[in-house]
Amino acid sequence: MCLEPWWTEHERQWVTFDTEDALTKLSREDVVHAYHPTTRNLRNLVRNAGLAWRVLRDYRPDMVISTGAGVAVPFFWMRRLVGAQTVYLEVFDRIDSPTLTARLCRPVTDLFLVQWPEQQRLYKGSVLLGQVW
């Protein structure tokens, strides 16, 4: 939400979970709800892959951006079907080891951003953005 001044200037569609926090913060946005939990849940990975295909095919974004949610994996891997670029922002609270989602998305990420200098050791070629609150 702290990047709102930037994203309000762009056409967008959100893919997130139907949590109370997301429903409140994105109440006036175009939102598609993903299946959760995603962590090591094969059934929801398959369901979110179908969702990713439908959203990417119908919306045809120029860019797919993720802040580390597990639902990013099928969107990042399928984004080539529509020619979209990818930007991944690694989570704020993991500085000692890579997250599973980052490891799965990294091979197909065009711009990989981290929030801590310590995270750059974990992800070669990453760009230090700094803390995003």
Side-chain angles (χ1 to χ4, degrees):
M1 298 312 289
C2 69
L3 298 175
E4 186 175 4
W6 173 79
W7 56 255
T8 55
E9 300 297 318
H10 301 277
E11 183 181 335
R12 64 204 169 274
Q13 184 175 52
W14 299 83
V15 177
T16 189
F17 307 120
D18 62 346
T19 61
E20 184 175 331
D21 187 46
L23 293 171
T24 300
K25 290 180 178 177
L26 300 173
S27 64
R28 296 180 183 192
E29 294 291 319
D30 181 6
V31 178
V32 174
H33 293 120
Y35 301 97
H36 61 89
T38 56
T39 305
R40 294 172 179 84
N41 186 310
L42 186 57
R43 179 173 183 253
N44 284 340
L45 174 62
V46 171
R47 293 168 77 192
N48 285 325
L51 178 69
W53 166 244
R54 288 188 303 278
V55 168
L56 292 170
R57 179 196 64 208
D58 296 344
Y59 191 72
R60 304 195 71 77
D62 296 323
M63 185 175 295
V64 176
I65 302 171
S66 178
T67 57
V71 73
V73 175
F75 282 86
F76 270 52
W77 281 90
M78 289 186 186
R79 60 75 181 193
R80 291 182 186 206
L81 299 171
V82 297
Q85 297 292 303
T86 53
V87 178
Y88 187 92
L89 175 61
E90 180 59 308
V91 297
F92 178 80
D93 59 348
R94 182 73 83 79
I95 61 171
D96 57 347
S97 62
T99 62
L100 177 60
T101 303
R103 290 192 319 251
L104 294 172
C105 289
R106 182 70 179 109
V108 293
T109 299
D110 296 303
L111 177 59
F112 196 95
L113 304 170
V114 295
Q115 300 185 55
W116 295 99
E118 295 87 349
Q119 291 173 315
Q120 285 189 291
R121 292 190 330 262
L122 305 172
Y123 306 106
K124 291 181 183 175
S126 62
V127 174
L128 179 61
L129 179 66
Q131 298 176 15
V132 177
W133 296 89

